[in-house]
Amino acid sequence: MSEGYESRTAGSRRLFERAKKVLAGGVNHNARFYEPYPIFVSKAKGQHIWDEDGNRYTDYWMGHMALILGHSPEVVVDALRRQIPDGTHYGMGSKLSIELGEEIQKDVPCAEAMRFCNTGAEATMYLVRLARGFTGKRVIIKMAGGWHGYNTELNKGVHRPFDRTESAGILEEEQSFVKNVRFNDLGAAEAEVKRSRGDVAAIFLEPVLGAGGCIPAEKGYLKGLGELADRHGILLAFDEIITGFRVSLGGAQEWYGVTPDLATFGKVAGGGLPLGLVCGREEIMSLADPTRKEKFVSIGGGTFSENPLTMVAGLATLRYLRKNAKVVYPSLARMGEGVRKGIDGEFADRGVEAHTAGLGSLFLTHFGSAPVNAEQAALEGKETKQKYALGLMTRGIFMLPGHPSGVSTTHTARDVQELVARSGEFADSLSRNGKRL
Ligand SMILES: Cc1ncc(COP(=O)(O)O)c(C=O)c1O
């Protein structure tokens, strides 16, 4: 199945060999490695990327789903052009971070106050610290399959069997107060709250479980978690690093109508430049005030935090999204729905059981029945997911194998039709090879 891929990508193969001699394992993010070797990008614009062999792809990975306006949108490029001569890095406060903060406050229900950093992993680390500092409790309940970046404590139970550390070098003690529970299962969260006997600081989850399968929270689940949290003096916290400014302007919290106490954002909010942020109720966030004498929570390092380039890129993106929200979000949702229904229809027509999960512009095709949690998503079809992604790459479409994808404002109805048609061709090739799933 990878022959077609390899014959088109000899230049990427050569670069990967070279990369392995200088970069550990040849990559700078583990998710970017896939068999037999990843393509190397030479250029990107709009909904397209080009690899080192000159192949053009319609891109649905979109920079880890950070690029809601596509690659190098004019509004962001113009903002960066204007900012660069005035400084690429201040290491001091500027009006820009206030403006971006105010923009976020307008849209995100829980964002009474916030702090900017450079990555999502930092933001989730800060969130854990704030939750513990505020409540004086230790346990963080997260979801099996929940990915919160390379945060030492939370890097647990992301992959099967969903109950242990993801990495050698992390001590068991460092993760002993992090508990994984099944997503979309209120009873599982209730049982963990009971087991932890009054020591739970926060229930922290992605409203759409991302790396765990692109699975949306079921109706009533987030509200139920909020009520559970309230009953026990626990904070409800959302990781909106994927969903923020993507499923709606105010994120998944607005879409579901459930306001958490704390939340993390990144990706879209940085307009394609590095950003993480933690935000929440003023009462909690005020613990980060450096003039505080008691209960001071030390968050907010980062040489490059509130970097002016990120601030202007984020501002340009969020202002564009607000101005065009009435068109952008329904259009993204329509395209996302078209992708999900279209792909599933193509596979169903060929007798292949497939289910494309997601919400709004987000999607990921599973081979097997529709999963409602990461355990189910991991049960079957991993190999087919890999083949499907490679099969699409040979047909000029890029998705990172096994990871969620996202439509951007630069994708068109024609791109969607193309993706659906190419998925059909892949389904045909499966039947031709006599594959039973
Ligand atoms: C839900 C979620 N949280 C946190 C992170 C980590 O963000 P970063 O890669 O910027 O550290 C990611 C990254 O993919 C994510 O999807």
Side-chain angles (χ1 to χ4, degrees), residues 3 21 23 27 59 77 88 90 102-103 120 156 193 195 209 227 263 292 295 320 332 358 373 386-387 403 411:
E3 288 134 44
K21 297 194 179 117
L23 308 169
V27 288
D59 179 20
V77 172
T88 58
Y90 300 143
E102 286 169 350
E103 199 67 26
K156 178 181 182 182
V193 167
R195 259 195 305 278
L209 195 62
E227 287 163 1
R292 236 190 130 87
K295 267 180 103 173
Y320 179 92
L332 289 176
N373 55 49
Q386 157 82 7
K387 284 183 180 155
H403 287 265
H411 289 90

Side-chain angles (χ1 to χ4, degrees), residues 29 32 61 64-65 118-124 146-151 204-206 208-211 239-243 264-267 274-276:
H29 190 306
R32 292 180 197 158
W61 173 234
H64 295 237
M65 289 155 289
N118 298 294
T119 67
E122 274 175 278
T124 61
W147 167 246
H148 304 288
Y150 275 110
N151 172 321
F204 184 36
L205 76 160
E206 301 158 82
V208 178
L209 195 62
D239 185 341
E240 294 239 41
I241 287 169
I242 292 178
T243 53
T264 49
F265 287 77
K267 298 197 195 277
L275 182 77

Side-chain angles (χ1 to χ4, degrees), residues 401-419:
H403 287 265
S405 292
V407 175
S408 76
T409 57
T410 54
H411 289 90
T412 63
R414 218 175 142 164
D415 290 323
V416 172
Q417 278 168 12
E418 180 87 6
L419 168 57

